[in-house]
Amino acid sequence: MKKNILYIFALLFFHLLFFGQDSIKPTQAFTGKIKQYTRNDFNADPQFWTMCEDNSGTIFFGNNDGVVIFDGEHWQKINLPNNSSVRSLQIGHDNMVYAGGYNEIGTIQKDNNGRYFYKSLMEDLQLENRNIENIWQIHALNNKLLCRSFDELIVITGKTATHIPAANSFIYSNLAGNSYYIQDVNHGILKLDSKGRELTTVFPSTEYNNEEISAILPEAGGKILVTVKSGNVYEGNPETGTMQLLNNVFTNLPKDQIISAIRYSADAIFLGTLSSKILVINNKGEVLKTPAVFQNLQDAVIHQLYKTASNNVWAMQNIGLAFIDFKSPYTYLFNKASVYDALVHNNTYYLATNQGVYYSTQNSGSQALDFKKVPNLHGQAWSVQLLDGDIIAGHDNGLFKIENGQASKIGTVNGFWKATPIKNKKSFYLASQYNGIYLLEKNEGEWILHNKITGFDESSRDIIASDENDTYWICHGYKGVFRIRINPTYERVASVDHFTNKNGLGSSFNVNVTRWKNEVVFTTNTGIYRFNANNNRFEPHAQLNSVLDSSKNTRKLTEYGDKTWFVQDDEAGYFFTNEKHPSLHKDLFLNLKGSFNRGMECIISLNPNKVLFGTTTGLYLYNIESNKNSEGINTIITQISYSKDQELKLLPLSTIEEATLPNQTDILRFEFAAPKMTHGTEVQYSYILENVDKNWSTWQNIAYKEYTHLRPGNYSFKVKSRNTAGLTGTETVYKFTILPKWYQTTLAYALYIIGALLLLFVIIRYISKRMEREHQKSQKEAQRTKKLLELELEQLKLQRDKEEIKRDKMHLEEDVLNKSKELANYTMLLASKKDIFAEITDDLKQLKESVKNEDSRKKILEMFQKLNQHKIGEEYMEVFDVNFEKVHHNFFERLKELNPTLTKRELRLCAFVKMNLTNKEISPLLNISLRGVENARYRVRKKLNVNHEDNFVSYLEAVANEAGDTTD
């Protein structure tokens, strides 16, 4: 009976802790997370005073710079005409956003391009010349707008403003149901009548000691709850006009001030304070324990609190904004150390960390976990397990039993990872140690650490029992896999099998062992394996590798209920174990990426939808319920801009008519958001531009998309959203057209087609005529070819005749050359004979002188006469000159062209040199000495400008070739 009561109590506790956050009870924990926004985010003054939320989920903040607008992705700042701060914002009955500043009342509107602007109502309400000073609060009641300043209450109906002056000073106002209450200093709390024309006193100032009110909140039965700055909480009854002091929230707390308050739920009220952050009270004014989530606020000053339509809270602070997300899929439970293992037992959390063992007891009246460290157990703890009803911790200093927050050591050996139950041996365990295995036993309530099991000295952190009795698989981070068999008495290891990459594993490193579907499987860097006992090798696990990418490192694989949890390449996720084609669910846990303790990943399932993750940054509690309500969450396009020629322009967001863009747009940019998505959870977007993108883009965090140099045509841009909590936003579509140039229009294309047809017709005609011309040309070509053949034949005949003529000419030239040489030789012979005749004549003259005999003298005289009759004169030279000039006429003419001063003898000398006659042969022909020949040759070379180093014979041959004289 006692056990049943405890069981029911435990169920009740977990139900209160993990379910039903929409109806918070005082005994329930406020779990969530905070996202801070600073000046770097909103680029405005960091002091915020007020805010409101429109129907789309867009948030409007009032601060010292004006109005700051946030759609979940983009910030925009609007200044009032007089640059005053904005102290009041309100959504009116017409869904218009009204803003109040110093001597300013107006609306925040959105133009067709998605840009917000401020429109003043001072002129329409005839308030331009009135000094109304600051509008501190604005409220909407029925069709009226109630604007409070210190001096008066302005009731706006349409374009009519009714002024109700303050008796002293209006310092606070609020709506409670359909009743509007306003505090007038020293006069009490007044109420506006239904017509909005008159204020009547409901609570005299004495009922609340004339204190300055910080909040008036509605209660059941028409009553109100009033908080004042001093910390007093009153309950007021408007029917009796009386108030009852419930409590002072600072009775047991440091003195502070309540600046603002909101009702979060039926029995939970949040108080914003001057220096104590946020306090929580119930309807009796009792202070509840401050939730841990509020302790993470960066600023202690809370100017104002605002509850959103999604039941989350914004805190307006002195140095920025804080969004408190109570709908977050995860809660940060512990952040003091790195968590390696966790255990929840009897409403108590136990954590094994790098700084020791922590624990926290969850009592029924507590709203947060307050972890304490087990004393005298410092340093690295590896595991915390429930064994035989006791909490056993594996620690660097040994095995410890945790009881009542105290640790007692088991045995004397240090360095234990964890303990593993031994099948068929009740109360016996294998204690995995840094250098082997020890036998652990619980005997009559006492834990006994027996001697080390001999025969195996490797670290046994990752160990699991095999299907065979007394057989265990042990994975070593660097050495591969061991299979050990222990003898029945568990005194020694009977055999050890060592497996590496030579036994089927892709790698010997980073191998882990676990059970999946009651089968031993091994996770590695190269996929998941099973052991085939028949061939004593590891084989890839086809089913798991089809689900989990085998190219990634699966470091953790554990099965809880209908889900299989994993950590793969530092990303956590799960899939449904028995699905035929399971898909991976990882997006919800992306914030954990890279934060797991490698090889010691901690995943603890509390129930089908609640799971704990131990990481290097602490302990997280995740809610993975799939029945998230995405209704009403719209994905909206907030702005569309394009640039052309470095000029930026905006497009209208209205989808009634298709937008048109000019041709040759440089950059087209779409900005989008999902304002109703929880601001504290990462939002992702996917988009597609039809006619450009083939598929939807991958989900990404960037809230804009740019396209460059789109071609003319019709386009549809689509975008959708989701967040990591499982919410999905509706898809939105924007259609637009990029106009073509005049030469890209339909008329132009029609003209192009007509022109192309005409061109085709002309081409066909041209080709036909050309074919006809080609035919005629081919006929003419055939005739021409025939004539050419005839001509070639004639040419061949002429060529033969020419060759014969050439041969004849060569013969003639050779004959002429020979004749010239014979003529020269003959001339030389005559010259030689002439010399002989001259010598004989001289000899006869001498003989005549010496002969005395008359007869002899007569005889000699007769000889003279005969010699004179037959003497050789100069006629032979004349004959030589005539014939020589005939042979070398062109040669002589060319030489005269080169130098007209050449004499006849010099021309003749050139001819002799050209004929390769030596100086000795030339001397008698010119009737000069050898020296004279040399001098004559020198003079001719100089006249013809023949260099000394040039060959005179070659030069004269070249001249002869130019003159057409081919004789040599």
Side-chain angles (χ1 to χ4, degrees):
M1 182 67 182
K2 185 177 180 180
K3 290 184 177 180
N4 291 336
I5 293 174
L6 289 174
Y7 177 72
I8 294 171
F9 180 79
L11 288 178
L12 177 61
F13 160 72
F14 282 112
H15 176 78
L16 291 175
L17 180 61
F18 300 117
F19 294 94
Q21 289 187 357
D22 290 334
S23 57
I24 296 178
K25 298 293 192 303
T27 57
Q28 184 186 9
F30 291 106
T31 58
K33 62 176 182 175
I34 290 179
K35 184 173 183 179
Q36 294 283 160
Y37 295 93
T38 65
R39 185 193 291 267
N40 292 333
D41 297 309
F42 46 75
N43 193 28
D45 189 90
Q47 285 188 326
F48 288 84
W49 309 109
T50 183
M51 68 169 286
C52 65
E53 179 183 22
D54 69 7
N55 293 337
S56 71
T58 302
I59 307 294
F60 300 80
F61 300 96
N63 79 356
N64 291 336
D65 282 346
V67 180
V68 178
I69 304 165
F70 183 48
D71 60 16
E73 295 290 351
H74 314 97
W75 299 84
Q76 183 181 344
K77 182 173 65 177
I78 304 296
N79 299 112
L80 270 58
N82 57 6
N83 292 317
S84 75
S85 62
V86 173
R87 295 281 183 159
S88 55
L89 288 167
Q90 182 62 48
I91 303 293
H93 65 279
D94 53 359
N95 294 322
M96 191 76 72
V97 179
Y98 291 87
Y102 184 81
N103 283 333
E104 266 296 338
I105 301 174
T107 58
I108 306 298
Q109 300 182 28
K110 192 176 186 179
D111 63 20
N112 198 32
N113 295 327
R115 302 298 292 173
Y116 287 93
F117 64 93
Y118 176 81
K119 181 181 180 182
S120 178
L121 297 177
M122 299 297 286
E123 182 179 354
D124 293 344
L125 298 174
Q126 299 179 2
L127 299 175
E128 290 178 295
N129 298 321
R130 291 181 65 96
N131 183 22
I132 60 176
E133 295 189 348
N134 268 315
I135 302 297
W136 294 97
Q137 286 177 292
I138 300 177
H139 295 92
L141 180 62
N142 300 325
N143 63 341
K144 298 178 177 60
L145 203 66
L146 310 175
C147 304
R148 177 186 69 82
S149 70
F150 282 153
D151 294 334
E152 61 180 340
L153 175 65
I154 304 173
V155 181
I156 300 174
T157 306
K159 292 186 178 182
T160 303
T162 302
H163 302 269
I164 303 176
N168 194 338
S169 179
F170 292 140
I171 59 173
Y172 178 80
S173 62
N174 200 8
L175 287 174
N178 289 323
S179 299
Y180 177 76
Y181 296 96
I182 189 168
Q183 180 187 12
D184 196 345
V185 175
N186 299 327
H187 284 74
I189 299 175
L190 313 180
K191 181 180 178 181
L192 185 67
D193 67 352
S194 60
K195 295 182 179 180
R197 297 178 181 176
E198 186 178 356
L199 290 170
T200 58
T201 302
V202 179
F203 300 100
S205 60
T206 56
E207 290 294 318
Y208 55 89
N209 296 321
N210 199 27
E211 296 185 83
E212 187 174 350
I213 294 174
S214 57
I216 298 176
L217 305 174
E219 276 199 317
K223 295 181 180 181
I224 61 173
L225 188 141
V226 178
T227 64
V228 298
K229 288 192 174 181
S230 66
N232 286 333
V233 181
Y234 296 89
E235 183 181 64
N237 188 339
E239 294 183 359
T240 62
T242 59
M243 283 191 178
Q244 177 187 358
L245 177 62
L246 300 177
N247 188 28
N248 186 289
V249 298
F250 301 120
T251 300
N252 298 314
L253 295 173
K255 293 300 180 182
D256 202 350
Q257 286 187 6
I258 299 175
I259 302 178
S260 61
I262 59 169
R263 178 174 291 282
Y264 184 78
S265 65
D267 196 25
I269 298 164
F270 295 168
L271 306 179
T273 68
L274 184 63
S275 59
S276 303
K277 299 184 180 180
I278 300 176
L279 302 178
V280 182
I281 64 173
N282 59 20
N283 286 332
K284 297 179 181 180
E286 298 169 341
V287 179
L288 307 178
K289 186 170 182 179
T290 302
V293 63
F294 292 157
Q295 297 173 6
N296 296 325
L297 289 167
Q298 295 180 4
D299 189 3
V301 181
I302 308 298
H303 288 159
Q304 190 60 264
L305 294 169
Y306 185 89
K307 180 184 174 182
T308 67
S310 59
N311 290 324
N312 293 308
V313 172
W314 282 92
M316 284 148 275
Q317 302 168 297
N318 206 46
I319 58 170
L321 295 165
F323 179 74
I324 307 169
D325 183 10
F326 292 115
K327 300 296 182 180
S328 172
Y330 67 88
T331 303
Y332 204 8
L333 298 181
F334 174 82
N335 62 356
K336 298 178 181 179
S338 178
V339 177
Y340 285 80
D341 197 10
L343 173 68
V344 180
H345 177 63
N346 288 341
N347 299 339
T348 303
Y349 285 72
Y350 298 91
L351 306 180
T353 77
N354 63 333
Q355 298 180 19
V357 177
Y358 287 82
Y359 70 99
S360 177
T361 301
Q362 178 77 54
N363 297 320
S364 59
S366 176
Q367 297 187 22
L369 294 173
D370 185 15
F371 283 93
K372 300 177 182 178
K373 184 187 285 188
V374 175
N376 302 321
L377 190 57
H378 307 295
Q380 180 69 61
W382 300 112
S383 64
V384 56
Q385 299 172 273
L386 179 63
L387 303 178
D388 251 344
D390 293 333
I391 308 299
I392 305 298
H395 195 277
D396 187 55
N397 294 332
L399 284 174
F400 292 86
K401 175 183 175 182
I402 310 297
E403 187 174 14
N404 298 325
Q406 299 295 320
S408 57
K409 189 171 182 179
I410 302 172
T412 59
V413 182
N414 294 341
F416 281 93
W417 299 105
K418 63 180 180 179
T420 304
I422 299 176
K423 289 191 301 182
N424 303 323
K425 284 185 177 290
K426 186 178 180 182
S427 299
F428 280 91
Y429 302 86
L430 288 183
S432 301
Q433 201 254 356
Y434 293 174
N435 298 305
I437 305 171
Y438 285 76
L439 183 63
L440 178 65
E441 178 189 4
K442 184 178 183 182
N443 188 1
E444 296 181 357
E446 295 295 327
W447 289 93
I448 302 171
L449 183 65
H450 295 283
N451 292 333
K452 180 180 178 181
I453 299 174
T454 61
F456 187 77
D457 299 322
E458 301 290 346
S459 174
S460 54
R461 174 181 61 82
D462 198 17
I463 183 172
I464 198 169
S466 173
D467 294 331
E468 303 175 39
N469 289 332
D470 305 327
T471 303
Y472 298 87
W473 292 100
I474 298 175
C475 292
H476 194 285
Y478 303 101
K479 296 182 179 180
V481 179
F482 297 92
R483 181 175 60 183
I484 65 172
R485 293 180 177 86
I486 305 176
N487 69 342
T489 60
Y490 277 76
E491 294 176 348
R492 61 182 177 83
V493 174
S495 65
V496 177
D497 297 318
H498 186 197
F499 302 94
T500 64
N501 57 337
K502 297 180 180 179
N503 304 102
L505 293 173
S507 171
S508 301
F509 303 104
N510 298 325
V511 182
N512 294 286
V513 62
T514 186
R515 277 193 176 271
W516 186 74
K517 287 189 173 182
N518 203 30
E519 177 188 10
V520 177
V521 296
F522 300 83
T523 62
T524 73
N525 292 335
T526 57
I528 302 174
Y529 293 80
R530 57 164 36 118
F531 184 73
N532 189 326
N534 294 328
N535 57 18
N536 206 37
R537 287 182 64 83
F538 291 89
E539 297 176 347
H541 197 292
Q543 184 178 359
L544 283 173
N545 285 331
S546 67
V547 179
L548 297 170
D549 189 350
S550 60
S551 65
K552 296 180 179 180
N553 181 13
T554 302
R555 303 204 316 251
K556 179 78 172 182
L557 189 71
T558 182
E559 186 180 0
Y560 288 117
D562 62 344
K563 299 180 184 68
T564 297
W565 293 89
F566 62 86
V567 175
Q568 188 177 59
D569 274 3
D570 278 333
E571 290 185 355
Y574 69 90
F575 60 89
F576 289 97
T577 306
N578 295 318
E579 273 189 356
K580 188 173 183 181
H581 300 290
S583 57
L584 303 183
H585 302 268
K586 299 190 297 183
D587 293 336
L588 189 63
F589 316 104
L590 289 177
N591 64 304
L592 299 177
K593 185 175 181 179
S595 65
F596 291 100
N597 292 297
R598 187 176 294 270
M600 297 286 287
E601 295 80 7
C602 174
I603 302 177
I604 307 296
S605 181
L606 300 178
N607 61 44
N609 293 317
K610 304 293 179 179
V611 62
L612 293 173
F613 287 95
T615 70
T616 57
T617 58
L619 183 69
Y620 293 83
L621 170 65
Y622 269 81
N623 178 0
I624 59 171
E625 289 180 280
S626 59
N627 56 343
K628 299 292 183 181
N629 184 13
S630 300
E631 184 178 353
I633 298 179
N634 297 322
T635 308
I636 63 173
I637 297 176
T638 58
Q639 184 173 291
I640 307 171
S641 60
Y642 70 91
S643 62
K644 182 179 180 182
D645 300 329
Q646 297 184 345
E647 183 181 359
L648 184 67
K649 294 184 179 180
L650 299 178
L651 284 177
L653 298 180
S654 173
T655 57
I656 298 175
E657 297 181 2
E658 283 193 11
T660 56
L661 280 76
N663 195 276
Q664 294 181 344
T665 299
D666 296 330
I667 299 176
L668 177 62
R669 178 186 175 101
F670 293 90
E671 296 181 6
F672 31 81
K676 286 194 175 182
M677 286 285 186
T678 304
H679 298 296
T681 305
E682 189 175 81
V683 181
Q684 298 176 328
Y685 300 92
S686 180
Y687 45 79
I688 185 174
L689 181 61
E690 294 182 351
N691 298 332
V692 174
D693 301 325
K694 294 182 180 180
N695 301 303
W696 284 85
S697 70
T698 57
W699 290 101
Q700 51 192 288
N701 303 328
I702 301 174
Y704 67 88
K705 174 59 180 176
E706 292 182 345
Y707 295 93
T708 58
H709 303 293
L710 293 176
R711 296 178 178 273
N714 299 320
Y715 296 91
S716 292
F717 178 78
K718 298 179 181 179
V719 61
K720 56 187 177 181
S721 61
R722 72 176 186 183
N723 70 357
T724 54
L727 299 178
T728 57
T730 58
E731 176 186 309
T732 188
V733 181
Y734 188 85
K735 297 182 178 181
F736 63 97
T737 300
I738 295 182
L739 297 175
K741 293 286 189 181
W742 64 266
Y743 51 79
Q744 297 171 323
T745 59
T746 304
L747 177 61
Y749 287 127
L751 293 176
Y752 296 156
I753 293 174
I754 295 173
L757 293 175
L758 291 175
L759 180 62
L760 181 63
F761 175 75
V762 171
I763 290 173
I764 293 173
R765 290 289 304 274
Y766 172 76
I767 292 174
S768 299
K769 290 184 177 180
R770 184 166 181 175
M771 289 177 65
E772 185 177 351
R773 287 197 300 270
E774 290 294 331
H775 180 67
Q776 295 176 355
K777 185 178 179 181
S778 62
Q779 289 181 341
K780 292 180 179 179
E781 191 69 27
Q783 295 176 357
R784 182 170 173 272
T785 302
K786 183 178 179 181
K787 290 181 179 179
L788 285 175
L789 289 173
E790 293 175 354
L791 290 173
E792 285 181 3
L793 292 174
E794 293 178 2
Q795 188 72 20
L796 290 173
K797 185 177 179 181
L798 290 174
Q799 186 71 20
R800 288 194 297 271
D801 295 343
K802 185 177 180 180
E803 289 177 356
E804 291 178 1
I805 293 172
K806 187 176 181 180
R807 286 194 297 270
D808 294 341
K809 182 180 178 183
M810 291 177 64
H811 290 309
L812 289 174
E813 288 175 349
E814 291 177 359
D815 187 55
V816 170
L817 179 60
N818 293 330
K819 295 296 183 183
S820 297
K821 288 185 178 182
E822 288 178 2
L823 178 61
N825 292 331
Y826 179 69
T827 303
M828 287 189 292
L829 179 62
L830 290 177
S832 176
K833 287 183 178 182
K834 180 182 176 183
D835 292 339
I836 293 171
F837 267 86
E839 290 178 0
I840 294 172
T841 301
D842 291 338
D843 290 340
L844 289 175
K845 284 180 180 181
Q846 293 177 4
L847 182 63
K848 181 181 176 184
E849 293 289 334
S850 62
V851 174
K852 301 298 183 181
N853 189 315
E854 190 64 29
D855 291 330
S856 297
R857 292 176 67 89
K858 286 183 181 181
K859 190 65 175 174
I860 290 170
L861 186 60
E862 289 176 0
M863 291 174 68
F864 269 120
Q865 289 176 350
K866 287 181 181 180
L867 287 171
N868 286 333
Q869 290 177 358
H870 299 283
K871 73 175 180 178
I872 299 174
E874 296 295 329
E875 296 84 1
Y876 72 91
M877 290 302 297
E878 292 177 0
V879 174
F880 174 79
D881 289 340
V882 172
N883 287 281
F884 196 80
E885 287 184 3
K886 286 182 180 179
V887 174
H888 301 284
H889 175 73
N890 293 338
F891 177 65
F892 291 157
E893 290 295 327
R894 177 58 182 155
L895 288 173
K896 287 181 180 180
E897 289 177 5
L898 293 175
N899 194 330
T901 62
L902 291 172
T903 63
K904 188 174 183 180
R905 174 176 287 183
E906 289 171 340
L907 291 173
R908 192 179 299 162
L909 173 64
C910 292
F912 291 148
V913 172
K914 174 178 170 291
M915 293 169 64
N916 279 329
L917 299 180
T918 64
N919 289 349
K920 186 177 181 180
E921 291 173 335
I922 295 173
S923 176
L925 293 174
L926 296 180
N927 198 21
I928 58 177
S929 65
L930 288 174
R931 182 69 177 172
V933 174
E934 291 176 355
N935 292 334
R937 289 184 68 155
Y938 174 77
R939 286 193 300 272
V940 172
R941 288 174 70 99
K942 192 171 183 181
K943 285 185 177 182
L944 294 177
N945 295 323
V946 181
N947 296 327
H948 177 71
E949 62 272 9
D950 292 339
N951 188 292
F952 193 35
V953 176
S954 299
Y955 174 79
L956 293 176
E957 288 178 352
V959 172
N961 291 332
E962 291 179 6
D965 188 353
T966 59
T967 61
D968 290 325

